Amino acid sequence: MTSEHIIKELLKQKAISQNTAVLLRKFNRLTSDEQRILNQQLGQIKLSEKQIQQLFIKSLEIASKDAQQVLAKGKWMLQKDSRGNAYMLWNDYAIDNTMWQKMPDSVKAICVDLSFNTGGNQLAKYKNFIKAVKAEDYRRAALELLDSRDFNKNINNRNTRGVAIRRRDAAIELTELAEEIQ
C-alpha cells in the first residue's frame, strides 16, 4: 500500500497520471498481473535527487507526526474491584508535545523509524513497546521489539532481514539507554 502523501506528491510533480494514482490507491485489490504491469510503469519514473529528497523529508515528517499521535493516545478500560464492582480506568497516559520534546532523541528516532517503516498508524500495533516507552522502561521496550511478530517474521527472510536488523539495533540502543539511566 502506497502512502497517500507520496501519491499526492508524485501527482503534483507530474511523475504519475491520475489513472496511475487510482491504481496505486487500490493496489492490494489488483490482480497479480495488474500489479506487475503497474510496478513496471512505476519503475520507469524518473525523479531528480531534489524530488527524492523532498519525498523522503515529507515521509519522515509524517512518520514523526504519526509516532507522536500514537504515543499521545490513551484509553479507558473496564476494570473490576475485589467485590466485582465495575469501574472505568484510564489505561495509558498520553505523551503530549512537551513530553515528546523531553524524550531522549534515540527513543524518538526509534519510534519515528518504526512509524516510517511500518507505515501510518501501524506503530499502534506495537502495544507493549508503546507502553514500555511511555513508562520510560527502555529495557522492556527493547525486549518488546525483539519479541514482536515483525522481528520474528523478518529475521530469517533474506529479503526482509534488514527490517529485523534495524529492530535489533534499536533494541540494543534502548538497552544501552536503560543502563545509562540506572
Side-chain angles (χ1 to χ4, degrees), residues 154-169:
N154 291 308
I155 192 66
N156 294 318
N157 183 331
R158 189 175 68 196
N159 296 325
T160 58
R161 190 170 292 131
V163 171
I165 291 170
R166 278 198 302 284
R167 300 294 176 269
R168 182 204 61 205
D169 291 348

Side-chain angles (χ1 to χ4, degrees), residues 119-154:
N121 61 0
Q122 296 299 306
L123 174 61
K125 291 183 179 180
Y126 290 80
K127 289 177 175 50
N128 293 329
F129 168 78
I130 292 166
K131 285 180 185 177
V133 167
K134 286 181 174 184
E136 297 178 14
D137 184 350
Y138 301 124
R139 184 170 278 115
R140 191 174 105 223
L143 292 172
E144 294 300 338
L145 279 180
L146 295 176
D147 194 37
S148 69
R149 196 175 316 137
D150 172 56
F151 177 81
N152 292 310
K153 181 178 85 177
N154 291 308

Side-chain angles (χ1 to χ4, degrees), residues 11 16-23 25:
L11 280 168
I16 62 172
S17 67
Q18 284 291 342
N19 289 339
T20 301
V22 169
L23 291 173
R25 288 183 178 111

Side-chain angles (χ1 to χ4, degrees), residues 1-29:
M1 185 170 79
T2 306
S3 295
E4 184 62 26
H5 76 277
I6 292 174
I7 294 171
K8 286 179 181 178
E9 190 62 32
L10 291 172
L11 280 168
K12 187 171 126 183
Q13 295 177 9
K14 297 185 181 2
I16 62 172
S17 67
Q18 284 291 342
N19 289 339
T20 301
V22 169
L23 291 173
L24 280 170
R25 288 183 178 111
K26 62 178 188 174
F27 188 83
N28 290 335
R29 296 185 306 257

